[in-house]
Amino acid sequence: MSAEALERLRGRLVVSCQAYPGEPLRDPDAMRRMALAVIEGGAAGIRAQGIADLEAIRAATDLPLIGLWKDGASGVFITPTAAHAVAVARTGADIVALDATGRPRPDGRPLAESIDAVHRAGRLVMADVATEEEGLRAAALGADVVGTTLSGYTADAPRRPGPDLELVERLSRSLDVPVVAEGRIHTPEQARAAMAAGAFAVVVGTAITHPTTITGWFAQAVGNGRPDQEV
């Protein structure tokens, strides 16, 4: 079923439904409803984090579900250990996303251990990377999908104002496994450009499901152009 779920994402949009700690929408039922809303808009799959959120979303839809577990706030915290990965797999997520950067994992165990654990649980692995080298390594270790999720969020990959389309293109040329474009894709035009760069699928989160950030964009634009603003 997991391989079939991955194929259903080919050439399609995945929407990330996540909220940060302390925010009003940080609630499993809120994320379930968010998932249903974006599905009505045409999302082909959902990416979500946290065991309770994943269980709620899985119960609400049979669309492909990419699951992860954020534990911590710095370093490797996206599904950081094999135990986290297995717990995510048990929610019914079709694909388990995990940090596959070269940074040390909190339990000191190798990345290969997490990948193997997910495969033993009957699920696929999405390796979130920041560089081409990390993507190549993750695929060699058995990752089924490679995502550009962490480009711009580690010391090895300087942050860009928009998506890292160069990394999408390089990985798409170098790998036999699907490459998913994710990270700072804020407009339909950027999503289209990611597909043109060779992406298998595109993940969009903030620009669709994070109203606090979206409101901030508009508030800043309005504030910067107030008629009564002194010049």
Side-chain angles (χ1 to χ4, degrees):
M1 176 60 185
S2 293
E4 177 187 341
L6 177 59
E7 186 59 32
R8 290 168 67 187
L9 298 179
R10 182 185 294 273
R12 305 292 300 278
L13 171 68
V14 176
V15 176
S16 180
C17 298
Q18 302 182 43
Y20 295 104
E23 293 185 336
L25 293 180
R26 184 63 178 263
D27 174 81
D29 191 59
M31 289 299 99
R32 178 188 68 83
R33 291 172 181 271
M34 184 73 78
L36 293 175
V38 300
I39 289 169
E40 286 193 16
I46 301 296
R47 176 169 162 128
Q49 87 84 26
I51 301 303
D53 289 26
L54 291 167
E55 289 175 342
I57 293 169
R58 178 76 298 164
T61 178
D62 63 357
L63 284 187
L65 178 59
I66 301 173
L68 58 136
W69 180 356
K70 290 182 177 178
D71 191 0
S74 63
V76 174
F77 64 89
I78 297 177
T79 322
T81 70
H84 288 84
V86 170
V88 170
R90 288 175 177 165
T91 67
D94 303 286
I95 302 167
V96 178
L98 47 81
D99 184 315
T101 63
R103 299 175 295 181
R105 306 180 76 75
D107 62 353
R109 305 297 299 169
L111 172 62
E113 186 174 295
S114 292
I115 294 175
D116 290 344
V118 173
H119 287 161
R120 288 196 300 272
R123 305 301 181 186
L124 302 183
V125 172
M126 176 173 173
D128 291 346
V129 305
T131 68
E132 182 178 11
E133 180 182 2
E134 291 166 351
L136 294 172
R137 174 173 172 265
L141 290 174
D144 305 283
V145 189
V146 171
T148 59
T149 316
L150 292 173
S151 175
Y153 298 98
T154 73
D156 295 325
R159 185 161 183 150
R160 300 163 180 255
D164 192 344
L165 299 181
E166 292 181 10
L167 180 59
V168 173
E169 184 172 7
R170 291 198 306 271
L171 287 172
S172 297
R173 289 177 176 176
S174 302
L175 296 178
D176 293 327
V177 301
V179 174
V180 172
E182 181 174 10
R184 300 182 302 283
I185 299 174
H186 292 161
T187 68
E189 291 74 22
Q190 289 175 333
R192 187 179 301 113
M195 293 302 300
F200 176 87
V202 172
V203 175
V204 178
T206 298
I208 297 175
T209 62
H210 198 248
T212 300
T213 298
I214 300 167
T215 302
W217 293 341
F218 282 89
Q220 183 179 22
V222 172
N224 286 344
R226 289 198 310 268
D228 62 345
Q229 190 175 25
E230 293 185 2
V231 179

